[in-house]
Amino acid sequence: MFINGKWMAAENSREFKVYNPANGNIIGTVPDGGKNDAVLAVKAAHDAFPLWSETTAYQRSEFLYRLYSLMMENHELLAATMTEEQGKPIQAARNEVRYGADFLLWFAEEAKRVYGRTIPSARADQRFLVLKQPVGVVAAITPWNYPVSMITRKIAPALAAGCTIVIKPAEDTPLCAIEMMKLVEKAGFPKGVVNLVTACDPGPVGDVFVSDPRVRKITFTGSTKIGRMLAKKAAGNMKRISLELGGHAPFIVCKDADPQIAAKGLSLVKFLNTGQACICPNRIFVHSSMKKAFLNVLTDKVRTMKVGQGNLPGVSIGPLVNRDAVEKVHHQVEDAVNNGAVIVSGGHSLRDNGLDNGHFYAPTILDNVDEKMLIYREETFGPVAPIITYENESELIKRANDTEYGLAAYIYTADLKKAMNLFEQLRFGIIGINDINPTAASAPFGGVKDSGIGREGAIEGIDEYLDIKLGGFSLR
Ligand code: ADP
């Protein structure tokens, strides 16, 4: 763990093992931190806050640039660690490192643009001044599916704003977080500004984050269940919160879309990270007139996807994160089939040809999916594409919005008017229109409803770490 600028074991000296999900090999052992370690880290961040928050924006920007450069220099090491620990194919891991580094670059600039404003008063002798100031100590809880970029997406705006931070990475992927902390150390941040607590059981550390009054902000990416629980507890002392939670994205292929382009887009975004992304489509609404052509292209693409260890050439589908994930995916597939869905491709786990010790599931297409099935409501987080046929466009919006989630949605159409109408009517935070990658450091990422609160990236991303202060000046 990295606390107050020092590398540390857990107070109780306990450790836990980290496994490669592609072959079950042990790839590392890390400290199993608990309550006291979390308290120490919060204290370090709290002690570091006065000095860090008083550095100039230009100084903070310099640190972020330095960390960006170090990430780019250590690009290959970070990507290799990620493939080994999380499973994604090496090219996808490289893309994630670049995407993650971009948050540092972007917020290195944004640090200099934390503008306040003056507001005219109705009284001639009064002036209003609005100032933005860092919220204080931030506690960040990050997930395993994007183990590097979810860290930079939080630390970049927090540090740019002048906050100090304690990070708790997911128990499946602490090694990526440790590699990132080595770069933080090299970048020379003052001690206590960035701290890392690793833990096998996240509960006790999370409890310190939500209950210690020195923590003024919780930023969390993970499941809706845990996000809701943390938000309830954080309300105890009115901490600011940002939550980036689950999703159940509709992917709409209108009758005027090009089925080839739509199927290609779907094959990329559905199987991204083996389906383990919160923006992955989970209900694919295809107009009946388009179904055959769309399915033909999709099936060809899916059948040629190579599944395997992410560091082998040509592999585009890595393992799922653990055995439970494989079981959950298969349970949804079985439930769908029992309720009338048809397997077009896949539909089973993979254990042969060297995959026996990993958590692999065949890329799967399910046709005839409908409202009765679990997969229609529950997030899959796996490589299954559920196809729903529709006829009536007026009902489509209602059906697409019929979910408690509201993160991403996708529309494929050649009709601009239709695209604008769907864009305005769909209740989701991020909408791709003939586009499967509507995310970047410069763009606000986040959801509505059960998909979360707050935005990451863009000008909105730094506001999450700033308090607003109003000054009323009497000149009398
Ligand atoms: P998933 O089911 O995809 O692993 P989680 O929401 O369980 O999603 O995990 C996301 C992050 O939340 C991880 O860092 C995990 O350790 C953390 N987490 C899980 N349970 C708790 C908890 N009770 N308190 C604090 N953090 C938690």
Side-chain angles (χ1 to χ4, degrees):
M1 299 189 291
F2 187 65
I3 300 175
N4 209 21
K6 290 199 194 74
W7 291 97
M8 295 193 170
E11 191 214 27
N12 59 16
S13 306
R14 281 216 297 256
E15 295 187 323
F16 67 101
K17 295 186 176 66
V18 186
Y19 299 89
N20 180 334
N23 54 25
N25 292 346
I26 294 171
I27 52 172
T29 305
V30 303
D32 185 7
K35 182 180 166 203
N36 293 344
D37 304 289
V39 170
L40 206 61
V42 168
K43 180 180 183 312
H46 187 252
D47 291 347
F49 179 71
L51 273 184
W52 180 249
S53 60
E54 281 168 19
T55 54
T56 66
Y58 277 74
Q59 288 169 322
R60 295 197 295 277
S61 176
E62 275 294 310
F63 280 106
L64 290 172
Y65 272 124
R66 226 175 288 153
L67 187 54
Y68 167 78
S69 301
L70 284 162
M71 265 188 92
M72 296 311 279
E73 281 162 28
N74 291 274
H75 188 259
E76 222 30 58
L77 171 69
L78 286 167
T81 306
M82 198 186 318
T83 293
E84 204 180 22
E85 185 182 42
Q86 193 270 340
K88 72 184 61 177
I90 188 71
Q91 193 48 46
R94 291 182 185 124
N95 292 346
E96 185 185 332
V97 175
R98 266 194 296 275
Y99 171 73
D102 201 35
F103 282 88
L104 297 166
L105 189 62
W106 204 81
F107 282 106
E109 285 305 325
E110 207 55 19
K112 302 172 196 164
R113 302 195 178 101
V114 177
Y115 304 129
R117 67 193 202 277
T118 57
I119 302 172
S121 166
R123 271 173 37 205
D125 64 350
Q126 188 186 40
R127 302 289 182 273
F128 285 129
L129 175 65
V130 178
L131 199 64
K132 291 186 180 174
Q133 293 183 311
V135 297
V137 174
V138 174
I141 299 178
T142 56
W144 49 264
N145 60 343
Y146 288 90
V148 165
S149 59
M150 294 304 105
I151 290 178
T152 55
R153 201 144 94 160
K154 296 180 186 317
I155 66 174
L159 297 173
C163 297
T164 55
I165 192 160
V166 182
I167 305 157
K168 192 212 73 64
E171 49 278 24
D172 291 302
T173 55
L175 299 178
C176 281
I178 289 170
E179 288 306 326
M180 280 300 299
M181 285 310 107
K182 290 181 188 164
L183 303 182
V184 163
E185 186 184 28
K186 268 197 192 146
F189 283 88
K191 65 178 185 170
V193 170
V194 186
N195 306 273
L196 178 79
V197 178
T198 50
C200 180
D201 173 5
V205 176
D207 282 346
V208 171
F209 288 179
V210 290
S211 61
D212 191 312
R214 291 173 294 191
V215 174
R216 292 315 313 155
K217 157 101 192 175
I218 305 281
T219 172
F220 171 82
T221 300
S223 62
T224 297
K225 180 176 157 223
I226 301 296
R228 200 190 309 277
M229 181 275 288
L230 293 171
K232 276 187 190 159
K233 290 189 178 170
N237 41 28
M238 288 301 167
K239 295 180 202 299
R240 300 270 304 267
I241 49 165
S242 299
L243 305 170
E244 205 271 276
L245 310 175
H248 206 276
F251 185 102
I252 298 170
V253 185
C254 297
K255 65 178 172 207
D256 49 64
D258 178 329
Q260 298 248 3
I261 295 176
K264 184 170 174 231
L266 180 79
S267 70
L268 291 170
V269 68
K270 172 66 248 188
F271 298 97
L272 179 72
N273 210 16
T274 316
Q276 301 171 113
C278 47
I279 58 164
C280 280
N282 226 132
R283 286 167 301 145
I284 300 142
F285 292 96
V286 185
H287 191 269
S288 57
S289 63
M290 189 71 28
K291 236 281 278 301
K292 195 154 171 268
F294 178 84
L295 259 187
N296 283 344
V297 179
L298 182 63
T299 309
D300 281 352
K301 293 214 168 287
V302 165
R303 291 206 174 133
T304 55
M305 287 174 176
K306 190 167 166 193
V307 182
Q309 294 200 22
N311 51 4
L312 298 178
V315 165
S316 63
I317 306 279
L320 291 170
V321 65
N322 52 36
R323 184 58 41 209
D324 286 354
V326 176
E327 277 166 19
K328 180 183 167 204
V329 169
H330 193 57
H331 177 61
Q332 285 195 1
V333 170
E334 281 185 325
D335 167 82
V337 170
N338 291 339
N339 282 288
V342 174
I343 295 177
V344 179
S345 190
H348 51 84
S349 58
L350 294 170
R351 298 191 144 267
D352 300 334
N353 302 324
L355 304 183
D356 41 337
N357 291 321
H359 310 303
F360 293 97
Y361 201 84
T364 298
I365 304 172
L366 285 179
D367 195 8
N368 288 353
V369 168
D370 66 26
E371 287 84 345
K372 291 191 298 294
M373 303 165 190
L374 278 179
I375 201 161
Y376 193 93
R377 306 247 160 242
E378 283 184 6
E379 193 176 26
T380 306
F381 241 58
V384 184
I387 312 288
I388 302 154
T389 313
Y390 79 92
E391 296 285 348
N392 181 339
E393 293 207 341
S394 61
E395 270 188 18
L396 176 68
I397 294 170
K398 213 165 128 206
R399 291 178 81 190
N401 282 335
D402 179 23
T403 167
E404 67 263 32
Y405 292 113
L407 189 59
Y410 305 86
I411 306 160
Y412 272 74
T413 178
D415 179 340
L416 182 60
K417 192 170 161 198
K418 194 182 287 178
M420 185 55 80
N421 183 42
L422 284 164
F423 175 59
E424 288 177 355
Q425 302 291 327
L426 290 171
R427 292 270 296 131
F428 295 83
I430 304 163
I431 306 205
I433 296 124
N434 298 324
D435 184 42
I436 48 149
N437 190 18
T439 66
S442 55
F445 187 104
V448 297
K449 297 160 61 184
D450 274 5
S451 288
I453 294 173
R455 291 294 177 271
E456 292 192 307
I459 48 175
E460 290 84 355
I462 198 164
D463 276 343
E464 301 282 332
Y465 298 92
L466 293 164
D467 281 333
I468 290 173
K469 182 178 281 180
L470 171 68
F473 292 77
S474 172
L475 308 182
R476 225 184 282 187

